[in-house]
Amino acid sequence: MDYSDNDDDDEQLYHHNKSVTSPTSPLQKRIPFGSDHTTTDDEAEEIYQKKINTTTLTNNSNVIYLPNKFNNNNNNTNSNTRDGETDEFGFLLSSKKSLSSSSNKKTLKEYRDLEIKWINVVSRFDAGTVKKDAKLKKLVRSGIPTSVRPKVWQLLAGVNDIKRKDQFKKLLAMPATKIYDVINRDIPRCYPDHVQFMEASGQGQRDLSAVLKAYSQYNPELEYCQGMGRLAGLMLMHMSVEDSFWLLVATIDRYMNGYFTPTLSQLRIDAYIIGQLLHDHNPKLAQHLEENDVTPIMYIAQWFLTAFTMTLPWESVLRVWDCFYFEGIKVFYRVSLAIMDLCKDYLLQSCPTNSELLGFLLHIPHSYLQPDALLDAAFSIQLSKTDIKKYAKRAGSDDASVTGLPFEDGIKNLQVNGNAAAGLGGGLKQLGGKIKKK
């Protein structure tokens, strides 16, 4: 069923629904979904197995490492980590962090019910059209199950429409360029605390290098920018190296136009937009930041260029990415304002100086940013694309630092979202914007 697009009604479609955490281990094979687990509900198990046997969700990935903090200095294990212990996402546990388990029987049954629901969604929407489905939006916002997440991301992003047979291999076979040295230097610093990328020159680092180098050949105008490694690394935690490459292409060339240019044009325009939106939404906090010379570019560079992978708890990162591929870049604005909402009391009462404010905004304790609280806050905010477009067009005249920068990229990004799509896997023809096909 189609629904008219009304940006201001977004928050009405979001109902608090705590996501069910995947009970899988970080090294679990992805397909089928955790069939080594058992449940006392025989009927649910029978339905579950039937759905698996009749539905194909192949993503060519044998192993999943699901991810928190990023160490810019090196790829050596920190002395405060517990040797060999990781969290459920594959990140090394610090000595102060304890393992947690959510694999109780009730959680498992709920999780499998959700998987079945998503399997039905994927199979139904292969050839369908979805312009704005309120039920699907609510389902996405409540969290996509780990086992189907990579497939859904690829379908929402329209990967099948841009993917070309053997092109990835051809790109890797092209002569090396100067940017390869920069990529090689950055690889060990992308995810030094994740088991998939810890080993110097290991398979994880080789895969990450391949994705980034292939993209630099695919899009020679952009080549490579720091931040891309965080995006590609997350993708590799969920899917094969070639699928990760094509999802990176769709993400950068479709959803994030202008962010990775040499001038970081869209990021600078977004800094102005976030500043204006914060004034509208929380003028007291906006004034406090301005009085201490803290401008949005100082913190949203980390937030946006890494798609929040250096800011949020990992479960929150994945939930934000679910919404991002369905709803587009508008989610980044919502999440940014939500972070400020959740942290405003501490920022106002306990951060009286520039250094304290920046120190907190760049290293926010994860207790503030748990997924349900974060998304509840994000989708309770009144925010329309009209407001974002208004400030984007005004940026050049109001802010000398962005004068002359093209605002069209940001407008194009706003037109791209999954719920304006031709359907899961249904093509890009009815989507706003296009991906350059090579």
Side-chain angles (χ1 to χ4, degrees):
M1 180 175 182
D2 292 344
Y3 295 82
S4 60
D5 189 10
N6 184 344
D7 294 314
D8 297 310
D9 289 340
D10 276 354
E11 59 276 1
Q12 297 177 18
L13 298 174
Y14 183 72
H15 302 285
H16 178 65
N17 181 9
K18 289 190 176 181
S19 66
V20 182
T21 303
S22 164
T24 61
S25 85
L27 303 182
Q28 179 193 326
K29 292 187 177 181
R30 300 200 51 57
I31 302 297
F33 336 116
S35 57
D36 55 320
H37 292 287
T38 58
T39 177
T40 57
D41 193 329
D42 294 334
E43 182 177 358
E45 181 70 14
E46 183 178 355
I47 295 173
Y48 172 76
Q49 294 296 339
K50 286 181 179 178
K51 291 295 182 181
I52 291 175
N53 293 333
T54 58
T55 307
T56 300
L57 289 174
T58 304
N59 61 17
N60 299 321
S61 177
N62 293 323
V63 177
I64 180 169
Y65 301 84
L66 291 177
N68 193 316
K69 293 185 179 177
F70 180 58
N71 179 350
N72 257 327
N73 299 321
N74 54 59
N75 65 332
N76 295 325
T77 302
N78 188 287
S79 60
N80 289 326
T81 62
R82 299 205 303 245
D83 187 27
E85 290 188 287
T86 64
D87 65 13
E88 62 184 302
F89 303 113
F91 283 93
L92 292 177
L93 285 171
S94 69
S95 58
K96 296 180 181 179
K97 185 175 180 180
S98 60
L99 283 165
S100 61
S101 174
S102 59
S103 57
N104 57 68
K105 293 179 181 179
K106 182 178 179 181
T107 299
L108 179 59
K109 182 181 182 302
E110 291 174 347
Y111 186 74
R112 287 186 168 181
D113 288 344
L114 189 59
E115 283 181 325
I116 292 170
K117 189 176 294 186
W118 269 103
I119 291 170
N120 287 329
V121 167
V122 171
S123 61
R124 269 204 321 268
F125 284 84
D126 277 344
T129 58
V130 182
K131 291 187 177 178
K132 189 171 183 181
D133 189 311
K135 290 183 179 180
L136 185 56
K137 175 182 280 192
K138 181 180 176 183
L139 197 60
V140 171
R141 289 180 175 183
S142 67
I144 301 172
T146 297
S147 50
V148 298
R149 180 172 270 136
K151 184 69 172 181
V152 174
W153 283 359
Q154 291 174 76
L155 291 174
L156 288 173
V159 166
N160 291 337
D161 295 276
I162 60 170
K163 195 172 185 178
R164 296 292 177 267
K165 185 179 180 180
D166 296 328
Q167 186 172 6
F168 178 63
K169 293 180 181 179
K170 293 176 182 177
L171 291 168
L172 290 178
M174 295 177 71
T177 63
K178 291 182 179 179
I179 202 66
Y180 281 23
D181 292 334
V182 179
I183 293 172
N184 289 336
R185 186 173 64 244
D186 285 348
I187 291 296
R189 299 184 292 190
C190 287
Y191 286 98
D193 56 348
H194 192 279
V195 292
Q196 188 168 353
F197 305 102
M198 284 170 46
E199 183 182 352
S201 301
Q203 188 62 51
Q205 290 194 14
R206 293 198 299 271
D207 288 346
L208 183 55
S209 175
V211 171
L212 297 175
K213 289 174 181 177
Y215 183 81
S216 73
Q217 297 283 6
Y218 179 89
N219 191 340
E221 293 181 6
L222 292 186
E223 285 194 316
Y224 168 76
C225 175
Q226 282 188 333
M228 290 182 183
R230 294 290 291 189
L231 306 187
L234 187 153
M235 295 166 188
L236 284 166
M237 294 172 199
H238 293 79
M239 60 193 75
S240 71
V241 60
E242 185 170 359
D243 285 344
S244 296
F245 165 73
W246 287 113
L247 183 58
L248 184 68
V249 170
T251 302
I252 296 176
D253 294 5
R254 238 188 112 56
Y255 287 79
M256 299 185 73
N257 286 285
Y259 284 98
F260 298 102
T261 62
T263 61
L264 302 177
S265 56
Q266 190 55 46
L267 179 71
R268 291 160 64 187
I269 292 172
D270 276 352
Y272 173 82
I273 295 172
I274 290 294
Q276 298 304 307
L277 293 175
L278 188 60
H279 265 288
D280 294 343
H281 184 66
N282 198 327
K284 186 176 180 179
L285 179 57
Q287 182 179 355
H288 180 57
L289 293 172
E290 285 184 2
E291 289 174 348
N292 286 280
D293 297 320
V294 175
T295 60
I297 194 66
M298 295 177 176
Y299 50 89
I300 73 158
Q302 183 195 85
W303 296 1
F304 280 33
L305 290 183
T306 70
F308 297 99
T309 61
M310 290 178 65
T311 306
L312 304 177
W314 205 253
E315 186 180 351
S316 299
V317 171
L318 298 176
R319 294 278 299 280
V320 167
W321 277 46
D322 292 344
C323 299
F324 168 68
Y325 282 119
F326 190 79
E327 303 180 49
I329 200 67
K330 184 181 173 186
V331 169
F332 281 20
Y333 300 104
R334 284 193 175 280
V335 170
S336 297
L337 294 176
I339 290 173
M340 291 302 200
D341 272 356
L342 295 171
C343 300
K344 64 182 177 182
D345 290 341
Y346 187 88
L347 291 167
L348 288 169
Q349 297 169 15
S350 303
C351 297
T353 67
N354 174 284
S355 60
E356 289 170 313
L357 286 165
L358 273 180
F360 185 84
L361 288 171
L362 296 177
H363 305 281
I364 302 172
H366 286 175
S367 57
Y368 286 87
L369 305 173
Q370 294 304 303
D372 292 315
L374 179 68
L375 294 181
D376 277 345
F379 293 115
S380 296
I381 294 170
Q382 295 280 346
L383 178 65
S384 70
K385 291 180 182 177
T386 301
D387 292 333
I388 298 172
K389 292 176 183 177
K390 175 182 67 177
Y391 289 131
K393 294 176 181 178
R394 188 187 298 176
S397 58
D398 284 3
D399 187 341
S401 69
V402 298
T403 299
L405 295 179
F407 64 82
E408 291 82 6
D409 282 338
I411 303 300
K412 186 189 297 184
N413 292 335
L414 285 172
Q415 295 172 339
V416 179
N417 53 44
N419 55 1
L424 293 179
L428 296 174
K429 294 180 180 179
Q430 292 170 263
L431 284 166
K434 296 179 180 179
I435 292 184
K436 184 178 181 180
K437 297 180 180 179
K438 300 190 177 186

